[in-house]
Amino acid sequence: MEPSSSNNGFIQQQPVIKNQLYDDVSFQRVAKLFLPSAILDKITPDVVQLGQEVLSQQVFDWVTDAEHNQPYLRGNGRDSFGKPKSELVVGEGWRKLQDYGFEKGVVALNYDTDHGPYTRLVQFLRCHLWEASCANTLCPAAMQDGAARLLQRHLSSSASKTLSPVERNVFQNAYDHLTSRDPAKTWTSGQWMTERTGGSDVSQTETVATYDPFPSSESVPLASQSESIPLGPWSISGFKWFSSATDSNMTILLAKTHPSKGVSAFFAPMRRHNPALVSHTGESGNGTELNGITIQRLKHKFGTQSLPTAELELKGMRGWLIGEEGKGIQEISTILNITRVHTTVSSMGYLGRSLGIARSFALVRPVGMGKGKRIALSSHPLHMRTLANMTTDYHGMMLLTFYTIYTLGLDERSLPSNSAATKVPTPPEELVQPLLRVLSSLHKSYVCETTVPLVYGCMEALGGVGYMQNVESEHLNISRLFRDCCVGAIWEGTTDVLASDTLRALKHPRSGEQSVRALDWLIQSSKHATLIKEWQGLKNRIETGRQEELLPEARGLVFRIAEVVISVLYLVDVNSNPGAEIEAMCASFMEKKGFNVDETMRKRLREGGLKLDQAIVYGAGKEITQGAKL
């Protein structure tokens, strides 16, 4: 017998994290289910490369740097002589990860590439791979995406008639920056809604915008001297309580213009040209300063610590009105549809990576089975059943998430009349927007809440090492993914806020009937008696109950609708590409939710055992190479 030491004895073999395109069966199935084969074949080389690069040591070094060198205010917000100076400093890793995302077109792809209504699907499949390696840089990218879409709508031929030539030039300039792939040119955007009075409830907004155009006898001050972009005619003052993406180049924000009107939406650059500024070397004429913004303090958060989030005081911030006064909620909803999808995809990205780490660890971790027998975790019946159950939930949420993205794509780009038949239910054109209105809140409410315990389960699957920060092995750092994942159920609307919003959409006096009809169409398409019966009960409760009576039940109602929709999509996936493992996953999910399933699928589930669980976790037909030193 030899005693162990710090360098001798058993030392656990490092798990190898594999390219998710090849390792994640759910990712593969979703891509094949939602994308036409011609598009999938075209994008596969790029996705393979991205899937490999996001696992590179260089990227993980940037992640570690971004987490270690967190954002701060230089001088705590003042210079050496006490003068206020809001200078935000972010780390090199954060900047490198942002630049990488810009170059890869994580936002730009939707605007410079045309895959028709499938463009959003391609974009978010790529984001799914990038999420767990981006150190939260996809948060400002989400708002960048939403702002680009909002400005795109206003620059379209039908809407642009209401824009003056100057407004059109300002909006076009911002849009061009938001949709660029050049790191030296690309802008991110803030999305400032939250104040001390409330987060998603913006009715009590205390930020005030006053129409105060510059005198015609004077030259209009510039936001950018090099591009000759003028500052806006609205002066905005107030206090924003949470502003992520504090290092962004512009923002879309809400403010009130009149006590009798609702909130309005504004575009404002973060900085403005000030020719009077003198640098520390004595140079003047080319200086820029924050556009009436003071960074009050940075927030210290449980997770997303690499992301600069701040309290901002606005005094005379210059901006441009977007749309009509009092119609800010309608304008910001365009952004919310997109940022909520980004948030859901981030939760799924964290879970997908966490499951990949758990799978890899199970291949190399030996465990005892009693009487001196040792096996790899990947052959342990209970561990495989646990991972199989988690994988089943993961795939169901992938189906719901990417069906929502498919609907978003249909809303932005109609399906051509000569398109080949799709594998997934494609709503009639008149039901696309009503369906998206419901799915936008529903999928985010359900997925982001359900993901948190599943990521924790992956952390638990590594035992004690899963609880560690693992910065020395960043690719295994599930604790970071867990901390960052928790925010998904909070920002862009908490679970209860979005459950309430889903109920509001279904009970809306003008559009609610269409949203109910859209869900009815989707669920009826399954031709599954149990699911249809369950939906009819939910539908009757929604249609006959008063909104205030249903509100306490909103979370339960919305989650139940989500489970019905996921079951519908599971059946679509089974019919599209049948196999023992997907049929067992479908049966497992539906039985767990109390739905009747086909006897054949139930039999597969009952008789599968360890081999079936391994096929669910690692993929059918894959030889599970045991790397554990037993």
Side-chain angles (χ1 to χ4, degrees), residues 304-541:
T304 66
Q305 294 174 6
S306 58
L307 171 69
T309 305
E311 299 169 15
L312 302 178
E313 185 174 10
L314 314 180
K315 286 187 177 180
M317 183 184 199
R318 283 289 172 166
W320 298 85
L321 178 68
I322 299 177
E324 300 177 32
E325 286 186 62
K327 298 293 180 68
I329 299 298
Q330 292 91 319
E331 299 296 342
I332 210 77
S333 64
T334 296
I335 297 180
L336 290 175
N337 278 343
I338 292 167
T339 54
R340 285 172 178 169
V341 167
H342 270 281
T343 302
T344 307
V345 171
S346 73
S347 291
M348 295 310 299
Y350 295 138
L351 179 54
R353 177 68 61 78
S354 298
L355 282 168
I357 295 171
R359 284 193 300 270
S360 299
F361 181 76
L363 290 173
V364 297
R365 180 63 179 172
V367 293
M369 286 290 285
K371 297 182 180 180
K373 182 181 180 182
R374 296 185 67 75
I375 61 171
L377 262 180
S378 54
S379 293
H380 193 289
L382 177 56
H383 193 73
M384 282 297 97
R385 178 61 53 86
T386 299
L387 289 187
N389 288 339
M390 293 167 67
T391 301
T392 296
D393 288 339
Y394 168 61
H395 186 61
M397 291 188 291
M398 285 284 282
L399 291 170
L400 176 60
T401 299
F402 280 90
Y403 187 72
T404 302
I405 295 167
Y406 177 59
T407 309
L408 174 65
L410 291 172
D411 183 54
E412 294 183 354
R413 298 173 170 94
S414 298
L415 197 67
S417 57
N418 60 348
S419 296
T422 57
K423 298 175 184 177
V424 294
T426 301
E429 191 171 348
E430 69 274 12
L431 294 183
V432 169
Q433 285 191 354
L435 185 58
L436 180 61
R437 173 65 183 90
V438 175
L439 292 179
S440 174
S441 297
L442 179 144
H443 90 294
K444 198 268 183 187
S445 177
Y446 181 86
V447 170
C448 293
E449 176 76 14
T450 307
T451 300
V452 175
L454 291 172
V455 174
Y456 177 84
C458 293
M459 189 164 65
E460 182 186 353
L462 271 65
V465 75
Y467 190 65
M468 299 296 104
Q469 293 282 15
N470 290 318
V471 293
E472 61 280 351
S473 301
E474 192 67 64
H475 62 290
L476 302 178
N477 197 349
I478 299 185
S479 64
R480 171 179 62 85
L481 302 181
F482 175 72
R483 284 186 287 105
D484 291 351
C485 179
C486 287
V487 80
I490 297 173
W491 65 15
E492 304 302 336
T494 65
T495 305
D496 281 355
V497 165
L498 291 178
S500 303
D501 185 63
T502 306
L503 178 62
R504 191 180 305 115
L506 294 170
K507 295 293 291 182
H508 194 279
R510 293 189 301 275
S511 59
E513 185 177 334
Q514 278 290 82
S515 291
V516 171
R517 184 182 158 214
L519 277 178
D520 191 64
W521 168 86
L522 174 59
I523 296 165
Q524 293 281 355
S525 70
S526 71
K527 297 182 172 58
H528 191 282
T530 304
L531 296 179
I532 293 172
K533 182 179 179 181
E534 182 72 19
W535 162 243
Q536 292 296 343
L538 293 166
K539 178 183 172 185
N540 181 64
R541 182 79 183 101

Side-chain angles (χ1 to χ4, degrees), residues 212-221:
D212 184 23
F214 297 102
S216 56
S217 58
E218 301 177 10
S219 59
V220 177

Side-chain angles (χ1 to χ4, degrees), residues 555-570:
R555 185 188 283 225
L557 284 170
V558 168
F559 276 38
R560 194 56 173 166
I561 294 171
E563 289 163 358
V564 171
V565 172
I566 288 172
S567 298
V568 169
L569 296 172
Y570 245 124

Side-chain angles (χ1 to χ4, degrees), residues 171-322:
F171 286 8
Q172 185 66 56
N173 176 265
Y175 174 81
D176 291 344
H177 280 287
L178 291 167
T179 57
S180 172
R181 294 184 185 231
D182 180 359
K185 180 181 177 181
T186 309
W187 286 2
T188 58
S189 177
Q191 174 194 320
W192 299 349
M193 298 170 57
T194 303
E195 301 193 6
R196 287 172 294 203
T197 54
S200 299
D201 178 10
V202 297
S203 62
Q204 302 302 307
T205 291
E206 296 177 325
T207 300
V208 176
T210 304
Y211 187 67
D212 184 23
F214 297 102
S216 56
S217 58
E218 301 177 10
S219 59
V220 177
L222 300 177
S224 169
Q225 182 187 35
S226 61
E227 297 177 322
S228 299
I229 299 298
L231 290 171
W234 290 84
S235 178
I236 306 169
S237 298
F239 192 80
K240 295 298 182 181
W241 184 235
F242 275 98
S243 68
S244 292
T246 310
D247 63 336
S248 62
N249 309 83
M250 57 162 281
T251 189
I252 304 294
L253 71 157
L254 296 178
K256 286 187 174 178
T257 61
H258 193 277
S260 64
K261 295 181 179 180
V263 294
S264 303
F266 293 86
F267 156 77
M270 286 291 288
R271 304 190 70 83
R272 63 192 180 196
H273 175 63
N274 184 349
L277 285 179
V278 178
S279 72
H280 68 278
T281 60
E283 297 175 313
S284 62
N286 295 316
T288 66
E289 61 185 4
L290 288 173
N291 178 19
I293 304 165
T294 299
I295 303 176
Q296 192 72 14
R297 63 172 176 168
L298 295 179
K299 300 285 194 179
H300 296 284
K301 300 161 291 180
F302 171 65
T304 66
Q305 294 174 6
S306 58
L307 171 69
T309 305
E311 299 169 15
L312 302 178
E313 185 174 10
L314 314 180
K315 286 187 177 180
M317 183 184 199
R318 283 289 172 166
W320 298 85
L321 178 68
I322 299 177

